[in-house]
Amino acid sequence: MTKILIIEDEPFMRANLADVLELEGFQALTAANGREGVSVARREQPDLILCDVLMPQLDGHGVLATLRDEPQTARIPFVFLTAKGERGDVRAGMDLGADDYLIKPVPLDELLGAIRGRLDHARRHQAEFKMQFKSPKPLESLGLSQREAEILFWTAQGKTNAELGVILDISPATAKKHLENIYQKLAVEGRTAATLMALEVLNGQK
């Protein structure tokens, strides 16, 4: 069953969204604040996240930034659902990597349409990645060694340092060291930026 995480601090809104999604055949997970939402996302690996912006402890922008910076959650479709509709707030959310931004109150058909559209897009992207990206060789064009290209290739597919160790028969510490060298060579600050650069190359956009 498709899992959707609702991160919303208003109890009535949270419960109402969960009821609507379950009636539509989704499994609804809920979190009452941003920090709890991050914890649930890490544990449950939902297929999509609906998140309010204005919340205590950790706001929606903080939730998105945290999840985008972790390989296991970086590609989960993320939709902001909030009453705050100022243009600057919308732009800030999209710049952080949100997939969509819906203003409350949102009509049910619009909400479900956005959810299904983002889920379909994510499934197509995952299928295309598995089908097309069969070799790390193109990543050597970024100035990486063969081993570094392999590390980045699997990192871009969401593999953790421990998983890299199993795939490439190296220790997680060695994988981490390779990644640090890769970030330095690419002049980026972390996994998310390196992944985006890798995908551009593998998609033939560079």
Side-chain angles (χ1 to χ4, degrees), residues 151-168:
I151 293 283
L152 182 55
F153 180 79
W154 290 109
T155 297
Q157 297 183 64
K159 302 302 181 183
T160 65
N161 290 352
E163 290 170 330
L164 290 173
V166 173
I167 293 169
L168 300 174

Side-chain angles (χ1 to χ4, degrees), residues 182-204:
I182 290 168
Y183 302 155
Q184 186 174 10
K185 285 186 177 182
L186 300 183
V188 298
E189 294 186 359
R191 285 177 181 261
T192 300
T195 291
L196 291 174
M197 190 173 291
L199 292 177
E200 287 180 351
V201 172
L202 294 169
N203 275 312

Side-chain angles (χ1 to χ4, degrees), residues 38 46 48-50 52 61 63 88 92 94 102 105 132 134 143 149 159 172 204 206:
V38 169
L48 183 139
I49 296 171
L50 289 173
D52 192 16
H61 290 168
V63 171
M94 300 306 286
L102 303 178
Q132 295 175 6
K134 297 180 180 179
K159 302 302 181 183
K206 281 194 171 183

Side-chain angles (χ1 to χ4, degrees), residues 3 16 22 55 65 81-82 88 117 119 136 143 156 167 198 203:
K3 294 189 290 186
N16 187 51
E22 288 179 352
M55 294 184 293
L81 184 63
T82 179
L119 289 171
I167 293 169
N203 275 312

Side-chain angles (χ1 to χ4, degrees), residues 108-122:
L108 178 59
D109 58 348
E110 183 179 342
L111 173 64
L112 295 175
I115 289 173
R116 293 189 173 112
R118 290 303 167 186
L119 289 171
D120 287 344
H121 180 271

